[in-house]
Amino acid sequence: MLSIIAYQDEEDAVRIANDTDYGLTASVFSASNKTAHNAARQIRAGTVSVNCYGEGDVSTPFGGFGLSGFG
């Protein structure tokens, strides 16, 4: 499933992304790597991917934020 939500600017996009009790994983897509990495640093999620989704290896450590993850 994919959700697409309109936003006004980078600050609004980060606010929308963080407006949840959960935060297991997130992805940021942008033509600007600088913008994408800046947004990724602000998003509260266990794993944040930039310009991809689900990239990683089973040996990569992961966890959640908020009500996501273990415990």
Side-chain angles (χ1 to χ4, degrees), residues 7 10 13-14 17-18 25-45 47-54:
Y7 61 92
E10 182 182 335
V14 170
N18 288 334
T25 187
S27 294
V28 177
F29 290 85
S30 175
S32 166
N33 281 336
K34 181 179 180 181
T35 299
H37 283 267
N38 185 49
R41 281 190 291 274
Q42 297 177 67
I43 293 175
R44 295 186 306 252
T47 302
V48 181
S49 300
V50 173
N51 290 335
C52 63
Y53 179 75

Side-chain angles (χ1 to χ4, degrees), residues 3 5 8 19 21-22 27 29-30 36-37 45-47 49 55 57 59 65 67-70:
S3 296
I5 302 170
Q8 298 299 314
D19 188 24
D21 292 331
Y22 303 95
S27 294
F29 290 85
S30 175
H37 283 267
T47 302
S49 300
E55 297 297 319
D57 184 273
S59 65
F65 189 89
L67 297 178
S68 293
F70 298 108

